[in-house]
Amino acid sequence: MENNEKGKSSRRSFLRNVGLGVGAISVAGVANAAIPGANDSAVKSGKTLKLLSPDGKLVEVDLSDIKPAKEIQAEVKSEAMKGLPNRKFVMVIDLSKCANARECVHACQEGHLLPKDHEWMKIYLLQDDNLTSKYWFPRPCFHCDKPMCVSVCPVGATFKRPDGIVLVDNQRCIGCKFCMTGCPYSARVFNWKDPEVEVPEGHVYDPETNIPAVEGTVGKCVFCADNLRKGVLPRCVQACPMGVLYFGDLLEDTVTNGVETVRFSKLMADRAGYRFKEDLGTLPSVYYLPPYNREFPVEMGLEGADESVSGRYKKAGPR
Amino acid sequence: MNNMMKGKNSPGMYLIMIQLFVFNFAVHAQDAVLGEAVIDMEFSEVDSVKTITVTAHTTDNGKEVPITGETVTVFIPRMFSNFVVADLTLDESGMASTEFPGDLPGGKEGNLTIVAAMIDNATYGNVEKRVEKHWGIPTDYLPSSHRALWTTRAPSWMIITLSILLAGVWGHYFFAIISLIRISRDARKEKAMAEYRS
Amino acid sequence: MNADKKLIADLTPELEKTGIKWYITFFVFFAFFVTGIYGLYQQIDKGHIVTGMRDNVVWGFYIVNFIFFMGLSYSGALISGVLHLFNTGWRKPIIRLAELITVISLIIGPFFIFFCIGRLDRLPYLFMYPRIQSPITWDVIAISTDLVGCFIYLYLSFVEDFAILRDHPDLKVAPWKKKLYRILSLGFTGSEKQKKILANARTVMSAMIIAIAIIVYSVLAWIFGVTLQPGWHSTIFGPYFVIAAVFSGTGLLIILMWIFRRIYHLEEYITKRHFVNIGVLLTVIAAFYGYFTFSDYLTKWYGSIKMDSILIDKLFTDYYSLFIFANYIGILLPAIIIAFPRFRTIPGITVAAVIALLALWVNRYIIVIPTLETPFLPIQDVRPEWIIYSPTWIEWALTLAGVSVFAMLFMLISKIAPIISISEMQEQDKIEIMK
């Protein structure tokens, strides 16, 4: 067991690592006794059970720590709904640096085990007017503060949590696709067929990772909520070679792209940050920095791109 | 060796520390034994202008020797990275100071963790001084559990309107069903009367 | 309960015997139904990828059919409900038809929603975890309420008829039908008291039906109207959908009047006068429908909002023929046919109704699909089926299956209950005699 700082995430990663062949029970307690206070089940029964974890370690767990899988599921979901306390996540996208490298797209697909035709982060080539310039436009889910998608969901499968992140619970989603027509930014994708992805063993479904994709349900960018729980940046932010994507906590007024860390308010003031289609009133959590002082020409984004990618942008232009 | 590094531990760092120490020892074996670097921070606030003065010294045969010319970074650890306030170069007296912004948000009580550190220094490695200071702006974010279209609890007027409509409509349905029951009862009564008469 | 011998003689033969033509027709519809079921099986097995819907056009034929069939249920609300409240005499031969259309289309409509849902196994979640802020929840509540209400209303109209059939000595029907009549008529004897209770209940329910029908259809319209999508975010959608529904329901009523008049030889009861009256109603509603359509598109076209302009442009280029058919031909042709005495014949009016009905289905199509093909962020894709919606054979098959089920249910019900309400006709006769 790794010596993690946060007991709770250790418990959850333990949950993921221990796969008991009998699917009915899972272990809720923490085997790493070195972390005090991590095990919060009140009374120890004194009786223990020896279990073999997949990486060959023999662990002994108090019987009172073993909870049925359904309870785990409910616990996992309630944690996912609560989010991280005292955080308000925000992303800033610097349009002057984006060159359609698509590393963000690939990192996202790999990290969330997405089929290749699912893109939670999408790159558009936009041109507002004949006389204005084209620019590359990465678009994750905006995690709006007034999310239309959440308002129209009939069963509460998608929800907004206090730290700003909007998630989808694929065990509740009925696939009516109302959220997809509700979102004005086309941020959601639908699993039209069996995604046929390999799920890691012992994985407990969790809306924060949204693995595995479930046929007949909706998926979207989750701001890598599972990474955030570990204090790690979202996968797209880490992957971008140009440092286009900044991510941070609005309450700390700090965003970082992995290389530079800046004050969010300063970035907005200096670089005239804005939100896409502000007048729709959905209050997105993603801000854009206008493509000013570009570092390279737009055409660079089409070089070396596959036909299935470059073909998309052939008709790009003012609408 | 009293290592003051906290946080991002890894075995590799330990190894480098040991190697540096050994190298240091080997190179300066004939010189006096140099102690580790110690960094100090002084905080002052004049006319609501906050200043941090960083000093660094090392011990040489029990005497304090100021460290000069090295870079000390003053930063605030944030969730994913460190927000750098200033990169300072120590002067001849081993001191450097910087202004500290007065509008940084700092948790619920306005506390900030301010760190002055030498990072990957060629001579001294990683040294830091970490202080909790009440120099941030208290930032509390409590999204109200209000009723809205996108929250778990619906706006009250929706619930009320829906209840009134449903009660009204289904009330009429019950009236219709009761009418049917009344017809059925009346018919049975008539039948019984007819049988009684015959 | 006794009834006019002539009425019985004219209206009950279909209950007694079934010709070979009925069986053949039923079999044909059943074949379509089975094809549709096979398509549904493919869809459940392989996923919705077998339809033409993709990430942008997520709602296709199924939602169009859903709105269309729900709209048909308006004939009952309008013809039966409103005319009942106004006590118009000529409505009597056709109200049974109208009420049947209402109930049957209300049964079929929700099935098209089920076809569109990605996880059918989670359908109960709509009732277990409803969010009342969602227009779909409003729709679930409204349709359930409407279904129950229309069933009650239909049953109220059956009670007296079943009593007549129960008491008719010469009725040569199967014993199970006789038992059915006996049970469902609740022992109704036709006494003054009972008739009064029944009449009261029917009046109350007819008022309810009208109110509920308007609410249900408005809620359906708001599923589109409350979103931000260009073309859907229109304040007129509520009343617009209501009028369009009345239009389609009336058109279908005329068609069914013509069909049943023909095959059951009801020329004496459903006369030209009925066709003309309902036809005039159709024209008036067509005028309203045209007015709403014009108002909606005029305001979109005149203003310079970019997304509206893009949508209107798409309607007049990619969807030109469909747009003209739905919103010009579908309104003007029926109006012309009924306005001119030369064309105002029974076949003429029926043709007008057919055009109106088809035009309304196309109208639903061009409301739903072009908007989804013009999102705020342009569709940048290479796969053609992700850019333009093209329905697959499964969606066509299920559409046809829906129509077939409608026909089959009608055919079946016509074997159990008389297609013209005998009790209503009796009342009518009594009133005319008194005059």
Side-chain angles (χ1 to χ4, degrees):
Chain A
M1 282 278 111
E2 283 166 76
N3 194 2
N4 281 330
E5 285 172 356
K6 300 168 191 155
K8 260 207 170 121
S9 65
S10 138
R11 186 172 76 206
R12 287 176 74 241
S13 62
F14 182 79
L15 280 178
R16 291 207 187 94
N17 290 332
V18 174
L20 300 174
V22 182
I25 56 169
S26 285
V27 177
V30 171
N32 189 353
I35 300 173
N39 195 344
D40 58 12
S41 62
V43 177
K44 292 250 186 267
S45 68
K47 299 198 195 106
T48 58
L49 188 66
K50 280 205 177 72
L51 303 166
L52 189 68
S53 69
D55 45 320
K57 292 209 187 91
L58 196 65
V59 292
E60 194 163 339
V61 186
D62 193 281
L63 275 183
S64 65
D65 291 335
I66 298 182
K67 283 190 206 159
K70 243 189 167 173
E71 238 180 84
I72 304 285
Q73 204 61 70
E75 231 179 75
V76 166
K77 172 149 184 200
S78 94
E79 283 300 315
M81 287 185 81
K82 269 194 245 149
L84 299 171
N86 291 315
R87 299 277 179 206
K88 176 79 177 71
F89 293 110
V90 72
M91 184 185 272
V92 182
I93 300 184
D94 191 351
L95 297 178
S96 62
K97 293 191 211 157
C98 181
N100 196 27
R102 307 185 73 80
E103 296 293 332
C104 52
V105 179
H106 298 317
C108 173
Q109 287 177 326
E110 275 167 33
H112 296 276
L113 303 180
L114 296 179
K116 276 302 156 204
D117 61 341
H118 274 209
E119 289 178 9
W120 289 359
M121 167 74 92
K122 244 193 156 93
I123 316 254
Y124 290 89
L125 182 59
L126 296 182
Q127 184 180 9
D128 296 335
D129 171 55
N130 270 321
L131 301 177
T132 60
S133 162
K134 290 195 178 146
Y135 55 96
W136 296 103
F137 189 81
R139 186 234 67 216
C141 165
F142 286 166
H143 295 271
C144 306
D145 285 341
K146 279 194 182 169
M148 180 63 108
C149 55
V150 175
S151 300
V152 297
C153 179
V155 292
T158 182
F159 52 90
K160 175 136 181 110
R161 48 190 228 181
D163 62 5
I165 298 186
V166 176
L167 291 179
V168 181
D169 179 9
N170 274 346
Q171 297 191 325
R172 176 74 73 84
C173 177
I174 62 171
C176 69
K177 297 165 250 157
F178 200 179
C179 57
M180 295 181 72
T181 62
C183 176
Y185 313 111
S186 316
R188 287 167 172 255
V189 296
F190 191 74
N191 291 291
W192 298 101
K193 56 181 189 293
D194 191 351
E196 277 156 14
V197 287
E198 285 224 22
V199 182
E201 230 187 274
H203 175 79
V204 176
Y205 175 77
D206 170 17
E208 290 192 350
T209 49
N210 227 353
I211 297 174
V214 177
E215 180 188 342
T217 62
V218 172
K220 69 172 192 72
C221 156
V222 292
F223 265 5
C224 286
D226 55 330
N227 271 11
L228 300 181
R229 223 172 248 282
K230 303 182 216 151
V232 174
L233 285 169
R235 296 167 175 88
C236 51
V237 179
Q238 291 180 44
C240 179
M242 321 288 284
V244 171
L245 305 171
Y246 294 77
F247 193 84
D249 178 4
L250 198 60
L251 298 178
E252 289 180 344
D253 195 30
T254 306
V255 289
T256 177
N257 63 0
V259 173
E260 48 166 324
T261 305
V262 289
R263 284 191 73 174
F264 174 78
S265 48
K266 186 163 190 299
L267 201 57
M268 288 296 115
D270 290 348
R271 294 285 313 274
Y274 68 97
R275 290 190 287 202
F276 182 65
K277 294 232 181 287
E278 178 75 54
D279 43 301
L280 286 181
T282 54
L283 307 181
S285 301
V286 174
Y287 290 76
Y288 285 92
L289 304 177
Y292 167 71
N293 246 356
R294 248 200 268 256
E295 298 177 2
F296 51 81
V298 173
E299 289 70 31
M300 202 172 106
L302 291 167
E303 282 168 23
D306 193 52
E307 176 61 33
S308 69
V309 167
S310 58
R312 301 181 193 194
Y313 306 116
K314 287 213 170 87
K315 284 199 192 147
R319 305 182 76 192
Chain B
M1 187 165 157
N2 194 8
N3 195 335
M4 289 163 73
M5 269 287 285
K6 276 189 237 167
K8 298 167 174 75
N9 262 330
S10 66
M13 283 311 303
Y14 280 86
L15 221 56
I16 294 174
M17 309 290 357
I18 295 171
Q19 282 172 342
L20 274 174
F21 175 71
V22 170
F23 176 71
N24 221 359
F25 188 75
V27 165
H28 300 284
Q30 58 271 45
D31 299 294
V33 173
L34 277 174
E36 70 282 6
V38 171
I39 300 182
D40 257 316
M41 276 196 284
E42 262 165 43
F43 304 90
S44 65
E45 188 165 347
V46 177
D47 290 334
S48 75
V49 173
K50 299 177 169 66
T51 319
I52 298 182
T53 309
V54 176
T55 51
H57 65 269
T58 180
T59 48
D60 181 10
N61 277 347
K63 271 199 306 181
E64 271 196 16
V65 176
I67 301 171
T68 61
E70 305 288 351
T71 312
V72 175
T73 314
V74 178
F75 62 87
I76 307 213
R78 290 306 202 184
M79 183 174 179
F80 303 104
S81 58
N82 299 323
F83 175 68
V84 172
V85 174
D87 276 313
L88 305 169
T89 312
L90 298 166
D91 60 14
E92 317 81 52
S93 49
M95 279 175 51
S97 55
T98 175
E99 212 177 290
F100 188 84
D103 59 347
L104 286 176
K108 268 197 213 142
E109 277 103 52
N111 289 328
L112 287 173
T113 307
I114 307 179
V115 182
M118 282 200 263
I119 301 171
D120 276 342
N121 186 282
T123 322
Y124 305 101
N126 290 299
V127 195
E128 74 166 34
K129 170 93 179 157
R130 204 170 263 257
V131 175
E132 289 272 333
K133 196 92 179 102
H134 187 67
W135 265 11
I137 297 181
T139 314
D140 197 6
Y141 175 63
L142 215 65
S144 47
S145 67
H146 59 297
R147 294 176 177 275
L149 283 174
W150 57 90
T151 52
T152 321
R153 303 193 306 161
S156 318
W157 73 266
M158 280 186 156
I159 302 178
I160 295 172
T161 310
L162 193 70
S163 309
I164 293 177
L165 281 174
L166 279 180
V169 170
W170 286 84
H172 284 86
Y173 290 177
F174 279 122
F175 169 73
I177 293 177
I178 287 173
S179 300
L180 288 169
I181 294 175
R182 282 173 65 202
I183 291 175
S184 171
R185 284 218 189 110
D186 187 79
R188 247 180 281 147
K189 207 174 70 183
E190 258 188 51
K191 197 167 165 200
M193 298 267 281
E195 280 175 7
Y196 174 72
R197 285 204 192 103
S198 62
Chain C
M1 271 199 67
N2 280 321
D4 194 15
K5 288 242 176 327
K6 181 169 189 319
L7 276 175
I8 300 272
D10 288 334
L11 300 175
T12 56
E14 287 307 319
L15 305 176
E16 292 174 339
K17 53 184 168 38
T18 310
I20 188 74
K21 278 196 209 153
W22 190 96
Y23 283 107
I24 294 177
T25 321
F26 193 83
F27 178 73
V28 169
F29 283 128
F30 191 72
F32 283 131
F33 171 65
V34 168
T35 318
I37 293 294
Y38 174 65
L40 182 64
Y41 164 72
Q42 289 281 310
Q43 186 181 289
I44 294 177
D45 184 39
K46 299 208 180 86
H48 283 218
I49 195 82
V50 299
T51 66
M53 300 185 281
R54 296 290 184 270
D55 271 354
N56 280 292
V57 185
V58 295
W59 286 347
F61 261 31
Y62 298 146
I63 295 291
V64 172
N65 287 331
F66 167 62
I67 309 171
F68 182 68
F69 277 95
M70 297 302 299
L72 292 178
S73 76
Y74 258 52
S75 64
L78 185 75
I79 312 298
S80 185
V82 171
L83 294 182
H84 180 99
L85 284 180
F86 283 124
N87 219 357
T88 42
W90 54 266
R91 79 177 193 281
K92 308 246 182 198
I94 52 179
I95 50 170
R96 174 67 50 79
L97 264 179
E99 288 155 16
L100 284 173
I101 294 177
T102 303
V103 172
I104 293 177
S105 51
L106 267 181
I107 294 174
I108 296 178
F111 276 97
F112 280 105
I113 286 278
F114 300 162
F115 300 159
C116 199
I117 282 188
R119 300 280 323 195
L120 266 180
D121 55 322
R122 295 183 187 169
L123 205 58
Y125 288 8
L126 281 171
F127 300 95
M128 289 159 61
Y129 308 114
R131 271 186 89 247
I132 69 163
Q133 298 105 315
S134 167
I136 284 190
T137 307
W138 309 341
D139 208 30
V140 167
I141 295 173
I143 293 180
S144 316
T145 307
D146 196 18
L147 210 63
V148 171
C150 290
F151 259 115
I152 293 177
Y153 190 51
L154 185 70
Y155 180 53
L156 284 173
S157 84
F158 274 168
V159 171
E160 219 174 326
D161 265 21
F162 284 164
I164 292 174
L165 292 170
R166 172 200 65 201
D167 294 336
H168 180 60
D170 301 325
L171 203 64
K172 300 180 200 63
V173 293
W176 67 267
K177 268 192 202 166
K178 283 210 168 138
K179 191 166 175 197
L180 191 73
Y181 296 149
R182 205 185 65 239
I183 297 175
L184 289 181
S185 55
L186 298 177
F188 189 78
T189 55
S191 70
E192 279 309 307
K193 179 177 173 197
Q194 287 172 14
K195 278 199 176 177
K196 208 165 138 215
I197 297 176
L198 196 64
N200 243 1
R202 286 188 74 183
T203 308
V204 162
M205 283 307 293
S206 62
M208 267 297 113
I209 290 294
I210 298 169
I212 290 175
I214 293 178
I215 292 176
V216 168
Y217 226 62
S218 301
V219 163
L220 202 58
W222 291 332
I223 286 182
F224 300 95
V226 299
T227 64
L228 297 166
Q229 302 292 347
W232 286 359
H233 192 64
S234 168
T235 54
I236 212 177
F237 258 34
Y240 184 29
F241 273 47
V242 170
I243 290 292
V246 176
F247 194 24
S248 58
T250 314
L252 184 63
L253 181 62
I254 294 177
I255 296 173
L256 286 176
M257 273 162 61
W258 185 85
I259 292 177
F260 281 106
R261 176 177 184 268
R262 192 119 185 217
I263 60 178
Y264 288 177
H265 310 293
L266 299 167
E267 289 86 351
E268 214 178 296
Y269 298 96
I270 304 178
T271 61
K272 182 172 174 187
R273 181 170 162 235
H274 293 101
F275 276 90
V276 169
N277 284 349
I278 303 284
V280 166
L281 203 58
L282 189 76
T283 316
V284 170
I285 297 169
F288 271 108
Y289 167 69
Y291 167 55
F292 275 94
T293 309
F294 182 70
S295 173
D296 191 35
Y297 285 115
L298 177 74
T299 45
K300 285 191 172 83
W301 171 82
Y302 200 100
S304 53
I305 306 261
K306 192 172 243 180
M307 292 314 297
D308 285 343
S309 307
I310 294 174
L311 180 70
I312 300 264
D313 192 55
K314 193 174 193 77
L315 287 174
F316 277 100
T317 52
D318 297 339
Y319 288 94
Y320 186 62
S321 39
L322 289 177
F323 186 79
I324 297 293
F325 175 64
N327 296 324
Y328 288 82
I329 297 178
I331 300 169
L332 295 172
L333 219 51
I336 292 173
I337 289 175
I338 293 164
F340 286 96
R342 219 190 123 196
F343 305 120
R344 207 186 303 152
T345 59
I346 290 184
I349 295 175
T350 312
V351 165
V354 170
I355 293 173
L357 199 67
L358 289 173
L360 271 148
W361 191 94
V362 175
N363 164 274
R364 306 295 203 274
Y365 187 87
I366 63 175
I367 285 178
V368 175
I369 278 98
T371 292
L372 291 173
E373 285 180 353
T374 51
F376 282 103
L377 278 169
I379 303 176
Q380 292 182 334
D381 210 308
V382 282
R383 302 162 290 187
E385 58 286 347
W386 290 70
I387 305 175
I388 301 281
Y389 173 67
S390 46
T392 59
W393 74 266
I394 291 179
E395 291 163 288
W396 284 110
L398 280 168
T399 307
L400 214 56
V403 175
S404 305
V405 170
F406 186 89
M408 289 196 295
L409 284 175
F410 238 104
M411 294 173 79
L412 287 170
I413 247 312
S414 69
K415 292 290 157 196
I416 297 177
I419 214 74
I420 292 180
S421 175
I422 300 177
S423 49
E424 293 275 351
M425 293 309 294
Q426 241 177 268
E427 294 280 328
Q428 180 70 350
D429 285 347
K430 283 206 188 112
I431 292 171
E432 302 224 320
I433 289 171
M434 275 159 56
K435 282 186 186 160

